[in-house]
Amino acid sequence: MAKYSVAVDQGTTSTRFMIFDHSGGVVGIAQKEHEQIYPKPGWVEHNPMEIWQRTQEVIAEGLQTSKVDIKDIAAVGITNQRETTVVWEKATGKPVYNAIVWQDTRTDQIINEFGKEGGQDRFRAKVGLPLATYFSGPKVKWILDNVDGARAKAEKGELLFGNIDTWVIWNLTGGVHVTDVTNASRTMLMNLQTLDWDPEILGIMGIPRAMLPKICASSEVYGKVAAGPLAGIPVAGDLGDQQAALFGQACYTPGEAKNTYGTGCFMLLNTGTKPVPSTSGLLTTMGYKIGDQPAVYALEGSIAITGALVQWIRDNLGMIQKSSDIEDLAKTVDDNGGIYFVPAFSGLFAPYWKSDARGAIVGLTRYVNKGHIARAVLEATAFQTREVLDAMEKDSGVHLTALKVDGGMVFNELLMQFQADILNVPVIRPKVAETTALGAAYAAGLATGLWSNFDELRANWGKDKEWDPKMAAEKRDAEYADWKRAVTRTFDWVK
């Protein structure tokens, strides 16, 4: 009888392999970073071959250090940075270009061109997304238009496209070309009603359908691992990272929400089996689909830069040695010294969708020191989350009574307390904070019988810590109003 479900969590800055037991406990883990490539301002790329190499390394290392017997593994789940776009040759498996990362803004002219007819919401009724540089479809078009010979090869059926989930599964299984509904819903090419590629949008974007993977459920057997230490194990779960976190946080009831604090910040609210259109700048997206059951939808607020801002302070400015040092530096002061840091490095995502915005620190005086900057960096994450929560309550009519949180930044006590203060609701961290990998492992284990239903998964969820709001209402309102003023200073920067 199988005892474990494993997950490959391929994120923006690193790849992680995790092994979970039946109670959702972590039995093994291995993680490796990969290179961030910045060829021009606003361009962000990854090397897909390096990502596949790291995937193989973490699988081998995680199995070796955990000493788990392969015979005891039920299935492999995949979760991934969404929207990051790979195009490769079907015959050789070689990418025709680097992966274009979700944060990349090079497609802004393509987006402006598409927006001339119907504006930013041209495709929203079908795909739930505004026109933005964030999504995969325009990135595919850019590759076909700019890489020598790519369009001709694509039209002959010689090229394949996928978000990173598809790339990893294709390599793991020796050629199974699939994606799941959650990843497909981030391409701007999938119709939310039919759960299939939309022929009209494919035509407008000039993307041959033959390149596209088959859209599957988030929990079903896609194939088996072809080689390596996991050979023969079913690959049976696939969810974009934020949907995987929703799943791992056991948000299976409409009205339940989670916020993941990673490179960016992503809040998702389960809205049930019908898509809820947004009028407040949120995305209507897929939550998950389990086997033959009806698909579950979500509203999402996406924030481009949160943890990435801490990395920027560390790597570009050298103000801290490691990311966790930000908390101690921020604690050297009592407040932000009157400054606000709006990290619009890739434009602004929800609820503004302004790709022409750029980052700004406002309110600087001679009084401000490194501690104030560190504090403003952390507060930026909390303020952006508040903007998304406000939009979510407006769209859904659901008033959240608490927020489940996960991801790397949730161990920052100062940030979590400030988050509770600025939202005026309790913030709750679960026992397993790496809920992204857990969600993928759950999906794979459900498809192969390791878990039989949602009740078993719900029973695994446990609270580790809760932060309750302590800030006076007057102070909260004043701080938030100043933040909103700061955000407006970043608009329309790029000509």
Side-chain angles (χ1 to χ4, degrees):
M1 190 58 193
K3 299 180 198 168
Y4 307 108
S5 185
V6 302
V8 173
D9 177 0
Q10 204 303 298
T12 309
T13 57
S14 68
T15 306
R16 186 185 291 135
F17 175 72
M18 294 186 79
I19 305 171
F20 297 94
D21 63 19
H22 193 267
S23 64
V26 179
V27 177
I29 183 167
Q31 183 169 355
K32 288 198 170 177
E33 289 198 356
H34 57 264
E35 188 189 358
Q36 306 295 310
I37 304 162
Y38 305 107
K40 295 181 183 179
W43 289 31
V44 191
E45 295 175 2
H46 293 154
N47 175 349
M49 298 309 288
E50 185 192 8
I51 283 176
W52 172 233
Q53 182 64 32
R54 293 287 171 270
T55 301
Q56 295 171 87
E57 288 165 6
V58 294
I59 289 171
E61 189 187 315
L63 289 170
Q64 198 182 349
T65 54
S66 69
K67 305 212 171 13
V68 160
D69 190 327
I70 308 300
K71 293 197 292 292
D72 291 330
I73 295 174
V76 187
I78 308 297
T79 180
N80 58 295
Q81 47 165 328
R82 308 166 303 170
E83 303 94 18
T84 294
T85 300
V86 192
V87 174
W88 68 96
E89 292 173 347
K90 191 194 276 188
T92 66
K94 284 196 177 143
V96 301
Y97 190 80
N98 272 340
I100 302 181
V101 179
W102 57 274
Q103 298 154 318
D104 188 286
T105 59
R106 79 185 66 189
T107 55
D108 52 353
Q109 284 166 318
I110 294 172
I111 293 300
N112 292 341
E113 202 52 46
F114 286 149
K116 283 180 182 167
E117 195 181 311
Q120 197 176 28
D121 290 338
R122 179 175 179 182
F123 306 129
R124 194 191 270 270
K126 283 185 169 185
V127 301
L129 313 172
L131 277 171
T133 57
Y134 183 19
F135 307 108
S136 323
K139 298 183 200 293
V140 180
K141 176 175 165 55
W142 188 93
I143 290 172
L144 296 182
D145 290 348
N146 290 278
V147 174
D148 277 352
R151 186 166 286 288
K153 280 185 183 167
E155 279 162 5
K156 279 192 221 147
E158 293 170 8
L159 297 187
L160 300 178
F161 150 72
N163 289 347
I164 295 284
D165 65 311
T166 300
W167 169 247
V168 170
I169 292 171
W170 192 85
N171 280 291
L172 265 181
T173 57
V176 176
H177 189 222
V178 294
T179 189
D180 89 302
V181 291
T182 68
N183 274 290
S185 74
R186 315 301 292 191
T187 59
M188 218 191 257
L189 305 172
M190 186 190 85
N191 187 304
L192 286 177
Q193 301 288 348
T194 64
L195 305 186
D196 200 0
W197 304 116
D198 188 272
E200 187 195 6
I201 297 175
L202 291 182
I204 292 166
M205 292 205 193
I207 297 171
R209 187 177 173 123
M211 295 179 75
L212 303 180
K214 179 187 175 195
I215 302 173
C216 298
S218 316
S219 174
E220 67 171 88
V221 176
Y222 314 112
K224 288 186 174 172
V225 179
L230 288 174
I233 306 284
V235 180
D238 179 16
L239 292 139
D241 52 9
Q242 303 314 320
Q243 285 91 344
L246 184 79
F247 204 71
Q249 282 272 34
C251 296
Y252 308 134
T253 308
E256 292 188 312
K258 68 87 207 178
N259 198 26
T260 299
Y261 298 75
T263 303
C265 222
F266 304 88
M267 192 187 294
L268 269 76
L269 174 79
N270 180 329
T271 59
T273 53
K274 291 208 165 55
V276 173
S278 173
T279 54
S280 312
L282 300 178
L283 308 177
T284 303
T285 194
M286 301 307 304
Y288 53 85
K289 185 178 189 312
I290 305 304
D292 299 333
Q293 295 173 28
V296 170
Y297 295 83
L299 275 173
E300 173 175 335
S302 320
I303 302 163
I305 304 284
T306 53
L309 182 56
V310 177
Q311 288 169 332
W312 182 81
I313 288 282
R314 180 192 70 192
D315 299 342
N316 294 38
L317 300 189
M319 276 172 55
I320 50 176
Q321 292 257 267
K322 51 187 196 294
S323 294
S324 55
D325 295 343
I326 190 92
E327 185 172 10
D328 287 337
L329 184 54
K331 278 181 177 166
T332 60
V333 293
D334 293 329
D335 55 33
N336 62 18
I339 65 163
Y340 294 83
F341 197 145
V342 186
F345 295 170
S346 303
L348 288 167
F349 285 12
Y352 300 102
W353 298 105
K354 288 188 177 289
S355 56
D356 56 7
R358 284 298 176 268
I361 304 176
V362 301
L364 284 169
T365 60
R366 283 288 296 271
Y367 168 71
V368 169
N369 64 32
K370 281 195 291 197
H372 296 114
I373 291 172
R375 200 159 182 122
V377 161
L378 294 178
E379 291 181 357
T381 294
F383 283 128
Q384 290 181 101
T385 298
R386 163 80 189 266
E387 291 187 303
V388 165
L389 185 77
D390 288 355
M392 216 161 248
E393 292 189 338
K394 207 166 148 190
D395 272 344
S396 66
V398 173
H399 180 68
L400 281 191
T401 53
L403 183 64
K404 289 180 175 179
V405 299
D406 54 71
M409 293 177 88
V410 300
F411 295 97
N412 187 311
E413 303 265 338
L414 185 71
L415 170 60
M416 290 297 104
Q417 184 56 56
F418 188 77
Q419 186 67 87
D421 287 343
I422 218 72
L423 294 180
N424 199 28
V425 297
V427 166
I428 302 168
R429 180 176 75 202
K431 280 182 187 146
V432 178
E434 295 304 342
T435 53
T436 300
L438 181 61
Y442 277 169
L446 273 176
T448 51
L450 182 62
W451 292 283
S452 48
N453 54 41
F454 283 168
D455 290 340
E456 281 191 69
L457 304 182
R458 271 197 195 95
N460 283 350
W461 190 91
K463 179 164 73 175
D464 177 45
K465 182 149 187 187
E466 179 173 326
W467 291 267
D468 295 313
K470 293 176 181 165
M471 190 182 276
E474 205 173 292
K475 183 168 167 33
R476 178 185 307 116
D477 295 344
E479 294 253 350
Y480 189 50
D482 282 345
W483 163 261
K484 296 288 255 187
R485 269 194 321 142
V487 172
T488 62
R489 304 296 199 269
T490 70
F491 294 172
D492 309 318
W493 183 257
V494 179
K495 292 195 170 53

